[in-house]
Amino acid sequence: MISSIKMIEEFANAFGAPGFEDDVVAVGRKYAPEGAKLVEDNMRNLYICPKNERDENKPVVLIDAHSDEVGAMVHSVKSNGTLSFITIGMWSPAVIMAQKVVIKNSRGEYIEGVVASTPPHFGGVKQDTLAVENMSIDIGATSKEEAIKVFGIGVANPIVPYSQFKYDEARDVIISKAMDCRLGCAAVMDVMHAVKEMPLDVNVVGVLTSQEENGYRGAKVAANMIKPDIAICFEGTPADDTFQVSDMVQTALKKGPMLRHIDVGMITNPRFIRFALDIAREKGIPVQEAVRTGGGTNGAAFHISELGVPTIIIGHPSRHIHSPHSIASFEDYKNGVKLAVEVVKALNKDIIASF
């Protein structure tokens, strides 16, 4: 496996609010296979063709992960120098409060700040009324003029949680922001390296897609660009093993990647997911299955593109998703990559047509 914790760390630490994924794309370019054809569109989707040219007689397999993370945007600068903001993506107010954040200012500099509200000593908001509208971001400025001129802050500057990637190798514990879906971004690169020299019956195209957290927008464009015959989406998927009763747990840490049968955006093609599950068991790759009543992925866009594209989700379980401090396992990550590679190796035109 070409991947390393260092690559995952660089992806995780990269700034990538929805619509502002440039830094993540730069990491993707750095770790793409040597000689691969790289194409970037104006949505900031990055396409990776490891073999450079397609064989027009072979079907196309798309390997996807989204490059954005939940974030926010400056709404306005207040007279006291603090910032009003809006969220982009599903970022819970309970998670946002009192967190450190990073703002990319109008000069392209990174400014750190703290999400704040009126302290309880002064009659601050109660927990049951906590809302983003009652919060502000304090960057240390003392006036609107200072925030704008000295700190370079302006309307629409993007914001992400502040967190530094940590990996405890002895215990196989990753703690970081953006595990949804920077683990997937690294996994796409791993798969691209693995398949580059393999004799395959399919063409493989990787893509790091933008704006998944804001409605699968990059994936919709990528589907039009690639026109895949079949798709595999990596996802940083919410683990449920810390709050669900044991008999109901479907996405546990260190139990292997999760394949979901349904979520709010897609009923997974039952033949394709069974094919992948059978390969996992044949190859001894630990895997979990889930039936989800909430959440969605880029699969929602890919599976109804063109005339319908069989799509599966390979999820890397991540506790405390959409927060500055998710917890994940490198072993789960490696098994997700291994499963995707084995599926790609087994696919051909007739098998894809049977789905």
Side-chain angles (χ1 to χ4, degrees):
M1 181 176 289
I2 300 298
S3 176
S4 66
I5 283 293
K6 181 63 178 174
M7 178 175 69
I8 299 173
E9 178 179 3
E10 288 192 41
F11 270 120
N13 286 340
F15 185 104
F20 299 87
E21 298 90 351
D22 306 68
D23 293 2
V24 187
V25 169
V27 177
R29 286 182 173 276
K30 175 180 176 179
Y31 283 101
E34 185 177 354
K37 181 179 180 180
L38 303 178
V39 176
E40 186 176 335
D41 65 25
N42 62 15
M43 289 288 289
R44 288 298 175 265
N45 291 327
L46 178 66
Y47 305 91
I48 307 103
C49 303
K51 294 182 184 292
N52 203 335
E53 298 297 334
R54 287 190 193 183
D55 183 334
E56 297 300 328
N57 296 314
K58 295 178 179 179
V60 176
V61 181
L62 181 62
I63 312 293
D64 161 79
H66 67 88
S67 55
D68 61 324
E69 60 189 297
V70 290
M73 182 179 284
V74 174
H75 176 274
S76 52
V77 183
K78 299 179 183 180
S79 59
N80 63 7
T82 63
L83 317 175
S84 296
F85 64 98
I86 64 167
T87 57
I88 311 175
M90 295 174 61
W91 200 6
S92 168
V95 172
I96 298 171
M97 184 59 215
Q99 294 291 348
K100 193 173 180 181
V101 296
V102 179
I103 306 158
K104 193 170 188 179
N105 73 7
S106 303
R107 300 190 287 258
E109 301 164 335
Y110 297 100
I111 305 297
E112 296 178 7
V114 176
V115 180
S117 65
T118 304
H121 313 71
F122 299 98
V125 295
K126 302 294 188 290
Q127 185 66 31
D128 59 357
T129 61
L130 193 63
V132 169
E133 291 76 16
N134 297 323
M135 301 177 196
S136 61
I137 295 175
D138 188 345
I139 57 174
T142 59
S143 68
K144 181 173 184 175
E145 181 180 31
E146 184 182 9
I148 294 172
K149 291 186 176 180
V150 177
F151 289 84
I153 298 298
V155 172
N157 287 171
I159 304 161
V160 299
Y162 174 91
S163 179
Q164 288 297 304
F165 178 96
K166 297 290 183 182
Y167 178 52
D168 182 343
E169 184 176 5
R171 298 165 183 83
D172 187 24
V173 174
I174 295 170
I175 301 180
S176 177
K177 75 173 180 70
M179 291 294 89
D180 174 20
C181 182
R182 304 296 166 68
L183 283 171
C185 292
V188 169
M189 294 304 161
D190 251 336
V191 173
M192 295 302 102
H193 280 278
V195 304
K196 182 179 179 183
E197 304 301 332
M198 288 182 180
L200 299 172
D201 293 322
V202 293
N203 296 292
V204 182
V205 180
V207 61
L208 306 186
T209 44
S210 64
Q211 299 191 45
E212 187 268 355
E213 300 293 357
N214 206 32
Y216 325 126
R217 296 175 183 180
K220 293 172 183 177
V221 173
N224 291 331
M225 172 75 88
I226 301 301
K227 302 186 185 304
D229 296 286
I230 198 164
I232 298 171
C233 296
F234 284 112
E235 184 57 273
T237 196
D240 59 1
D241 56 344
T242 58
F243 56 85
Q244 192 67 272
V245 296
S246 59
D247 289 344
M248 300 287 283
V249 171
Q250 296 188 325
T251 313
L253 207 66
K254 303 182 182 180
K255 300 292 185 182
M258 179 269 273
L259 277 72
R260 63 178 67 184
H261 291 269
I262 187 173
D263 59 27
V264 297
M266 180 176 75
I267 299 173
T268 306
N269 181 295
R271 293 159 293 280
F272 188 16
I273 194 170
R274 182 54 51 194
F275 178 80
L277 289 168
D278 287 345
I279 286 177
R281 287 164 185 144
E282 176 189 338
K283 300 296 182 179
I285 303 169
V287 69
Q288 304 177 78
E289 300 177 62
V291 172
R292 281 282 158 92
T293 58
T297 72
N298 277 342
F302 289 129
H303 88 290
I304 56 172
S305 64
E306 296 295 305
L307 299 178
V309 176
T311 303
I312 58 169
I313 310 303
I314 298 180
H316 299 119
S318 301
R319 293 175 177 169
H320 323 303
I321 210 80
H322 288 195
S323 84
H325 309 294
S326 294
I327 296 177
S329 158
F330 187 47
E331 193 64 28
D332 288 339
Y333 165 85
K334 290 190 289 185
N335 281 315
V337 171
K338 188 182 300 183
L339 176 58
V341 171
E342 291 296 337
V343 169
V344 169
K345 286 165 58 178
L347 289 172
N348 59 44
K349 185 182 296 186
D350 291 338
I351 289 173
I352 294 171
S354 74
F355 296 151

